[in-house]
């Protein structure tokens, strides 16, 4: 007897894997169906290709079988095409590009308006400054009236005052109060060397009714006079309205005290005249220092600073 050959009931025949060998198959070995602790699942071995996919698999050992049973479809499963709206599409719908915003026209408009306003303001300031400088330089019109000058008029005042605007000698004017014509003091520019004396009394006046004013507007009235080495003042009244401040009859010629002959000079005041006829009055009122001789009066177009 060969080793291991103990008959059909020997332990060798109980080899659970005997059916895998040629000699085991020759002795009629079969795959186990249980026993020796092998589970029944061992008998469920299938040949390659026998298993069918797509069917529900049997539950694993120790698991609870799912509803529907082995090989039956799952009642909870639903095909995508049966869902509301149909199967989900994997193709992304292209989204429209956001609208392209144009330039901020409102902001640009506000900026443009601000720039224009700044330019207009700058031009206005420049024009005002230029006008002010021109007036200070002399010969130009001013924006605000003044009762009298603050600097000595140029020596060409009488020559440039001629033209279409009137000019008169003081002796030909209407005299009031203690005013009277005289010629004792030399140096007067009026015809015959005459002038108005006695002006240093309150109530004395010279009134000029001037005709032929071509246009209503701004004018400067010039007054020729002499003072005895000291300043004097008087009141100017135009068409019944007195000036806010007195006319300054200053000692521009720097004459010696008490010397009328060396004190001849001129001054001016700004007035607003009507077209046609106007009344201009120079008088000695309460509070004025009127020690002066009045020589001539004439008009210049515009409010000037010097000359005439």
């Amino acid at each position: 007897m060969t080793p291991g050959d103990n008959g059909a009931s020997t332990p060798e025949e109980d080899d659970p894997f005997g059916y895998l060998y040629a000699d085991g198959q020759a002795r009629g070995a079969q795959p186990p169906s249980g026993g020796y602790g092998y589970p029944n699942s061992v008998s469920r071995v299938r040949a390659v290709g026998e298993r069918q996919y797509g069917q529900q698999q049997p539950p694993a050992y120790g698991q609870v079988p799912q509803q529907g049973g082995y090989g039956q479809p799952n009642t909870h499963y639903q095909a995508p095409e049966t869902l509301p709206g149909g199967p989900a599409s994997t193709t992304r719908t292209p989204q429209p590009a956001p609208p392209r915003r144009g330039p901020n026209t409102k902001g640009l408009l506000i900026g443009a308006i601000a720039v224009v306003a700044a330019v207009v303001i700058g031009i206005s300031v420049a024009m005002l400054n230029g006008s002010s400088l021109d007036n200070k330089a002399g010969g130009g019109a001013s924006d605000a009236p003044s009762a009298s000058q603050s600097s000595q008029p140029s020596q060409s005042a009488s020559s440039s005052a001629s033209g279409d605007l009137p000019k008169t000698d003081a002796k030909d004017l209407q005299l009031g109060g203690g005013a009277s014509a005289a010629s004792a003091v030399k140096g007067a520019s009026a015809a015959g060397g005459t002038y108005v004396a006695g002006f240093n009394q309150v109530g004395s006046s010279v009134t000029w009714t001037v005709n032929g004013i071509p246009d209503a507007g701004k004018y400067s009235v010039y007054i020729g006079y002499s003072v005895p080495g000291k300043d004097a003042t008087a009141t100017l009244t135009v068409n019944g309205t007195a000036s806010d401040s007195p006319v300054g009859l200053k000692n521009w010629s720097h004459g010696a005290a008490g010397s009328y002959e060396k004190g001849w000079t001129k001054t001016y005041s700004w007035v607003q005249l009507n077209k046609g006829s106007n009344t201009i009055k120079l008088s000695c009122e309460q509070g004025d220092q009127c020690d002066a001789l009045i020589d001539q009066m004439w008009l210049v177009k515009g409010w000037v600073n010097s000359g005439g």
Side-chain angles (χ1 to χ4, degrees):
M1 176 184 280
T2 59
D5 189 6
N6 296 321
S9 61
T10 60
E12 288 83 353
E13 295 178 357
D14 294 335
D15 185 0
F17 300 102
Y19 68 97
L20 297 177
Y21 309 106
D23 55 349
Q25 295 176 3
R27 293 186 182 96
Q30 297 293 329
S33 60
Y36 291 100
Y38 291 98
N40 292 331
S41 59
V42 176
S43 63
R44 297 173 185 170
V45 177
R46 295 180 175 87
V48 177
E50 181 181 354
R51 179 165 182 166
Q52 297 180 1
Y53 294 90
Q55 296 181 353
Q56 183 174 355
Q57 301 299 319
Y61 181 75
Q63 292 185 350
V64 178
Q66 297 182 357
Q67 184 178 358
Y70 177 74
Q72 299 296 324
N74 192 335
T75 57
H76 294 284
Y77 174 79
Q78 286 183 316
E81 58 270 14
T82 64
L83 295 176
S89 175
T90 58
T91 304
R92 299 185 62 183
T93 303
Q95 298 296 327
R100 186 175 180 180
R101 298 184 63 184
N104 189 353
T105 56
K106 183 177 181 180
L108 295 177
L109 179 60
I110 294 175
I113 293 175
V115 171
V116 172
V119 172
V120 171
I121 292 173
I123 294 174
S124 300
V125 172
M127 292 177 64
L128 291 176
N129 292 338
S131 176
S132 177
L133 293 175
D134 291 342
N135 292 336
K136 291 180 180 179
S142 175
D143 292 331
S146 176
S148 62
Q149 68 186 54
S150 59
S151 61
Q152 183 177 6
S154 67
Q155 297 302 316
S156 62
S158 60
S159 61
S160 62
S162 61
D164 296 334
L165 296 179
K167 179 179 181 180
T168 184
D169 292 339
K171 67 180 182 63
D172 297 328
L173 303 180
Q174 180 182 348
L175 306 181
S180 61
S183 59
V185 178
K186 305 299 182 181
S189 298
T194 59
Y195 53 85
V196 174
F199 192 70
N200 57 347
Q201 302 175 27
V202 175
S204 298
S205 64
V206 293
T207 302
W208 182 18
T209 302
V210 54
N211 299 310
I213 300 300
D215 300 297
K218 301 175 181 179
Y219 292 84
S220 297
V221 55
Y222 275 80
I223 302 168
Y225 66 95
S226 177
V227 290
K230 62 180 180 179
D231 295 340
T233 59
T235 298
L236 184 68
T237 302
V238 178
N239 295 326
T241 302
S243 61
D244 294 334
S245 57
V247 177
L249 304 175
K250 296 183 177 295
N251 183 25
W252 295 120
S253 62
H254 304 288
S259 175
Y260 287 100
E261 185 174 340
K262 300 297 183 179
W264 292 104
T265 184
K266 55 186 170 289
T267 187
Y268 64 86
S269 290
W270 295 335
V271 295
Q272 189 84 19
L273 300 181
N274 302 322
K275 182 177 181 179
S277 179
N278 295 267
T279 299
I280 302 174
K281 178 183 178 181
L282 185 69
S283 61
C284 182
E285 303 295 339
Q286 193 71 36
D288 290 336
Q289 303 295 324
C290 309
D291 193 359
L293 306 177
I294 308 302
D295 183 12
Q296 292 178 315
M297 297 181 73
W298 65 92
L299 292 172
V300 172
K301 180 71 173 178
W303 289 348
V304 299
N305 285 327
S306 64

PDB file of all heavy atoms in Angstrom, residues 153-163 167 189 222 266 296 298-300 307-308:
ATOM      1  N   PRO A 153      -4.292 166.732 -11.062  1.00  0.00           N
ATOM      2  CA  PRO A 153      -4.597 166.511 -12.479  1.00  0.00           C
ATOM      3  C   PRO A 153      -3.417 166.893 -13.359  1.00  0.00           C
ATOM      4  O   PRO A 153      -2.570 167.688 -12.984  1.00  0.00           O
ATOM      5  CB  PRO A 153      -5.789 167.433 -12.731  1.00  0.00           C
ATOM      6  CG  PRO A 153      -6.313 167.792 -11.390  1.00  0.00           C
ATOM      7  CD  PRO A 153      -5.157 167.740 -10.455  1.00  0.00           C
ATOM      8  N   SER A 154      -3.373 166.284 -14.576  1.00  0.00           N
ATOM      9  CA  SER A 154      -2.302 166.629 -15.499  1.00  0.00           C
ATOM     10  C   SER A 154      -2.497 168.030 -16.036  1.00  0.00           C
ATOM     11  O   SER A 154      -3.581 168.596 -16.004  1.00  0.00           O
ATOM     12  CB  SER A 154      -2.281 165.625 -16.664  1.00  0.00           C
ATOM     13  OG  SER A 154      -3.446 165.776 -17.451  1.00  0.00           O
ATOM     14  N   GLN A 155      -1.422 168.582 -16.551  1.00  0.00           N
ATOM     15  CA  GLN A 155      -1.478 169.954 -17.051  1.00  0.00           C
ATOM     16  C   GLN A 155      -2.207 170.082 -18.381  1.00  0.00           C
ATOM     17  O   GLN A 155      -2.448 171.180 -18.851  1.00  0.00           O
ATOM     18  CB  GLN A 155      -0.044 170.477 -17.211  1.00  0.00           C
ATOM     19  CG  GLN A 155       0.724 170.550 -15.895  1.00  0.00           C
ATOM     20  CD  GLN A 155       0.040 171.426 -14.879  1.00  0.00           C
ATOM     21  OE1 GLN A 155      -0.429 172.522 -15.195  1.00  0.00           O
ATOM     22  NE2 GLN A 155      -0.032 170.951 -13.641  1.00  0.00           N
ATOM     23  N   SER A 156      -2.568 168.947 -18.993  1.00  0.00           N
ATOM     24  CA  SER A 156      -3.249 168.980 -20.287  1.00  0.00           C
ATOM     25  C   SER A 156      -4.761 168.928 -20.144  1.00  0.00           C
ATOM     26  O   SER A 156      -5.467 168.740 -21.110  1.00  0.00           O
ATOM     27  CB  SER A 156      -2.779 167.812 -21.164  1.00  0.00           C
ATOM     28  OG  SER A 156      -3.103 166.583 -20.536  1.00  0.00           O
ATOM     29  N   ALA A 157      -5.260 169.108 -18.914  1.00  0.00           N
ATOM     30  CA  ALA A 157      -6.689 168.964 -18.683  1.00  0.00           C
ATOM     31  C   ALA A 157      -7.506 169.953 -19.481  1.00  0.00           C
ATOM     32  O   ALA A 157      -8.502 169.614 -20.105  1.00  0.00           O
ATOM     33  CB  ALA A 157      -6.988 169.114 -17.198  1.00  0.00           C
ATOM     34  N   SER A 158      -7.105 171.203 -19.490  1.00  0.00           N
ATOM     35  CA  SER A 158      -7.905 172.226 -20.169  1.00  0.00           C
ATOM     36  C   SER A 158      -7.901 172.030 -21.678  1.00  0.00           C
ATOM     37  O   SER A 158      -8.911 172.231 -22.343  1.00  0.00           O
ATOM     38  CB  SER A 158      -7.382 173.619 -19.809  1.00  0.00           C
ATOM     39  OG  SER A 158      -6.030 173.749 -20.206  1.00  0.00           O
ATOM     40  N   SER A 159      -6.757 171.604 -22.250  1.00  0.00           N
ATOM     41  CA  SER A 159      -6.686 171.438 -23.698  1.00  0.00           C
ATOM     42  C   SER A 159      -7.512 170.241 -24.166  1.00  0.00           C
ATOM     43  O   SER A 159      -8.146 170.302 -25.224  1.00  0.00           O
ATOM     44  CB  SER A 159      -5.221 171.275 -24.132  1.00  0.00           C
ATOM     45  OG  SER A 159      -4.676 170.123 -23.522  1.00  0.00           O
ATOM     46  N   SER A 160      -7.504 169.116 -23.398  1.00  0.00           N
ATOM     47  CA  SER A 160      -8.248 167.932 -23.815  1.00  0.00           C
ATOM     48  C   SER A 160      -9.721 168.023 -23.464  1.00  0.00           C
ATOM     49  O   SER A 160     -10.508 167.193 -23.880  1.00  0.00           O
ATOM     50  CB  SER A 160      -7.642 166.687 -23.155  1.00  0.00           C
ATOM     51  OG  SER A 160      -7.745 166.791 -21.755  1.00  0.00           O
ATOM     52  N   ALA A 161     -10.106 169.016 -22.654  1.00  0.00           N
ATOM     53  CA  ALA A 161     -11.502 169.147 -22.266  1.00  0.00           C
ATOM     54  C   ALA A 161     -12.339 169.771 -23.366  1.00  0.00           C
ATOM     55  O   ALA A 161     -13.557 169.719 -23.324  1.00  0.00           O
ATOM     56  CB  ALA A 161     -11.609 169.989 -21.000  1.00  0.00           C
ATOM     57  N   SER A 162     -11.700 170.394 -24.323  1.00  0.00           N
ATOM     58  CA  SER A 162     -12.441 171.040 -25.400  1.00  0.00           C
ATOM     59  C   SER A 162     -13.030 169.994 -26.324  1.00  0.00           C
ATOM     60  O   SER A 162     -12.777 168.811 -26.194  1.00  0.00           O
ATOM     61  CB  SER A 162     -11.513 171.980 -26.171  1.00  0.00           C
ATOM     62  OG  SER A 162     -10.448 171.241 -26.728  1.00  0.00           O
ATOM     63  N   GLY A 163     -13.780 170.425 -27.289  1.00  0.00           N
ATOM     64  CA  GLY A 163     -14.460 169.524 -28.196  1.00  0.00           C
ATOM     65  C   GLY A 163     -15.933 169.846 -28.180  1.00  0.00           C
ATOM     66  O   GLY A 163     -16.336 171.002 -28.173  1.00  0.00           O
ATOM     67  N   LYS A 167     -17.715 174.249 -21.905  1.00  0.00           N
ATOM     68  CA  LYS A 167     -16.718 174.819 -21.001  1.00  0.00           C
ATOM     69  C   LYS A 167     -17.123 176.266 -20.749  1.00  0.00           C
ATOM     70  O   LYS A 167     -17.618 176.945 -21.645  1.00  0.00           O
ATOM     71  CB  LYS A 167     -15.327 174.741 -21.623  1.00  0.00           C
ATOM     72  CG  LYS A 167     -14.221 175.334 -20.758  1.00  0.00           C
ATOM     73  CD  LYS A 167     -12.872 175.194 -21.449  1.00  0.00           C
ATOM     74  CE  LYS A 167     -11.760 175.760 -20.577  1.00  0.00           C
ATOM     75  NZ  LYS A 167     -10.431 175.626 -21.235  1.00  0.00           N
ATOM     76  N   SER A 189      -7.007 181.895 -15.640  1.00  0.00           N
ATOM     77  CA  SER A 189      -7.042 181.438 -17.032  1.00  0.00           C
ATOM     78  C   SER A 189      -8.272 181.928 -17.781  1.00  0.00           C
ATOM     79  O   SER A 189      -8.344 181.815 -19.008  1.00  0.00           O
ATOM     80  CB  SER A 189      -7.009 179.905 -17.087  1.00  0.00           C
ATOM     81  OG  SER A 189      -5.821 179.399 -16.525  1.00  0.00           O
ATOM     82  N   TYR A 222     -14.553 169.431 -14.192  1.00  0.00           N
ATOM     83  CA  TYR A 222     -13.300 170.052 -13.748  1.00  0.00           C
ATOM     84  C   TYR A 222     -13.577 171.462 -13.240  1.00  0.00           C
ATOM     85  O   TYR A 222     -14.429 172.168 -13.775  1.00  0.00           O
ATOM     86  CB  TYR A 222     -12.289 170.086 -14.886  1.00  0.00           C
ATOM     87  CG  TYR A 222     -11.492 168.793 -15.024  1.00  0.00           C
ATOM     88  CD1 TYR A 222     -12.031 167.688 -15.664  1.00  0.00           C
ATOM     89  CD2 TYR A 222     -10.210 168.714 -14.506  1.00  0.00           C
ATOM     90  CE1 TYR A 222     -11.307 166.514 -15.789  1.00  0.00           C
ATOM     91  CE2 TYR A 222      -9.484 167.541 -14.621  1.00  0.00           C
ATOM     92  CZ  TYR A 222     -10.031 166.449 -15.257  1.00  0.00           C
ATOM     93  OH  TYR A 222      -9.311 165.285 -15.370  1.00  0.00           O
ATOM     94  N   LYS A 266      -6.179 173.053 -10.500  1.00  0.00           N
ATOM     95  CA  LYS A 266      -7.489 172.514 -10.891  1.00  0.00           C
ATOM     96  C   LYS A 266      -7.739 171.188 -10.191  1.00  0.00           C
ATOM     97  O   LYS A 266      -6.823 170.518  -9.725  1.00  0.00           O
ATOM     98  CB  LYS A 266      -7.594 172.349 -12.402  1.00  0.00           C
ATOM     99  CG  LYS A 266      -6.503 171.513 -13.029  1.00  0.00           C
ATOM    100  CD  LYS A 266      -6.619 171.528 -14.516  1.00  0.00           C
ATOM    101  CE  LYS A 266      -5.411 170.895 -15.193  1.00  0.00           C
ATOM    102  NZ  LYS A 266      -4.209 171.752 -15.059  1.00  0.00           N
ATOM    103  N   GLN A 296     -12.653 178.600 -13.656  1.00  0.00           N
ATOM    104  CA  GLN A 296     -13.380 178.026 -14.784  1.00  0.00           C
ATOM    105  C   GLN A 296     -14.013 176.681 -14.379  1.00  0.00           C
ATOM    106  O   GLN A 296     -13.650 176.082 -13.375  1.00  0.00           O
ATOM    107  CB  GLN A 296     -12.441 177.784 -15.979  1.00  0.00           C
ATOM    108  CG  GLN A 296     -11.906 179.043 -16.636  1.00  0.00           C
ATOM    109  CD  GLN A 296     -10.950 178.704 -17.785  1.00  0.00           C
ATOM    110  OE1 GLN A 296     -10.075 177.835 -17.646  1.00  0.00           O
ATOM    111  NE2 GLN A 296     -11.120 179.386 -18.910  1.00  0.00           N
ATOM    112  N   TRP A 298     -15.438 172.950 -16.635  1.00  0.00           N
ATOM    113  CA  TRP A 298     -15.600 172.231 -17.894  1.00  0.00           C
ATOM    114  C   TRP A 298     -15.869 170.751 -17.634  1.00  0.00           C
ATOM    115  O   TRP A 298     -15.699 170.259 -16.516  1.00  0.00           O
ATOM    116  CB  TRP A 298     -14.385 172.436 -18.810  1.00  0.00           C
ATOM    117  CG  TRP A 298     -13.089 171.857 -18.307  1.00  0.00           C
ATOM    118  CD1 TRP A 298     -12.563 170.644 -18.553  1.00  0.00           C
ATOM    119  CD2 TRP A 298     -12.148 172.521 -17.457  1.00  0.00           C
ATOM    120  NE1 TRP A 298     -11.350 170.469 -17.934  1.00  0.00           N
ATOM    121  CE2 TRP A 298     -11.071 171.623 -17.257  1.00  0.00           C
ATOM    122  CE3 TRP A 298     -12.091 173.799 -16.863  1.00  0.00           C
ATOM    123  CZ2 TRP A 298      -9.958 171.943 -16.489  1.00  0.00           C
ATOM    124  CZ3 TRP A 298     -10.987 174.117 -16.090  1.00  0.00           C
ATOM    125  CH2 TRP A 298      -9.935 173.196 -15.904  1.00  0.00           C
ATOM    126  N   LEU A 299     -16.289 170.048 -18.684  1.00  0.00           N
ATOM    127  CA  LEU A 299     -16.685 168.640 -18.574  1.00  0.00           C
ATOM    128  C   LEU A 299     -15.775 167.751 -19.413  1.00  0.00           C
ATOM    129  O   LEU A 299     -15.281 168.158 -20.479  1.00  0.00           O
ATOM    130  CB  LEU A 299     -18.132 168.439 -19.024  1.00  0.00           C
ATOM    131  CG  LEU A 299     -19.224 169.056 -18.141  1.00  0.00           C
ATOM    132  CD1 LEU A 299     -20.573 168.933 -18.818  1.00  0.00           C
ATOM    133  CD2 LEU A 299     -19.242 168.395 -16.771  1.00  0.00           C
ATOM    134  N   VAL A 300     -15.594 166.539 -18.941  1.00  0.00           N
ATOM    135  CA  VAL A 300     -14.848 165.495 -19.644  1.00  0.00           C
ATOM    136  C   VAL A 300     -15.705 164.235 -19.631  1.00  0.00           C
ATOM    137  O   VAL A 300     -16.331 163.911 -18.616  1.00  0.00           O
ATOM    138  CB  VAL A 300     -13.486 165.234 -18.983  1.00  0.00           C
ATOM    139  CG1 VAL A 300     -12.802 164.018 -19.596  1.00  0.00           C
ATOM    140  CG2 VAL A 300     -12.590 166.457 -19.105  1.00  0.00           C
ATOM    141  N   GLY A 307      -5.819 164.076 -15.650  1.00  0.00           N
ATOM    142  CA  GLY A 307      -5.902 164.646 -16.993  1.00  0.00           C
ATOM    143  C   GLY A 307      -7.288 165.183 -17.257  1.00  0.00           C
ATOM    144  O   GLY A 307      -8.027 165.533 -16.368  1.00  0.00           O
ATOM    145  N   GLY A 308      -7.673 165.252 -18.490  1.00  0.00           N
ATOM    146  CA  GLY A 308      -9.008 165.729 -18.821  1.00  0.00           C
ATOM    147  C   GLY A 308      -9.055 166.162 -20.218  1.00  0.00           C
ATOM    148  O   GLY A 308      -9.972 166.807 -20.662  1.00  0.00           O
TER     149      GLY A 308
END
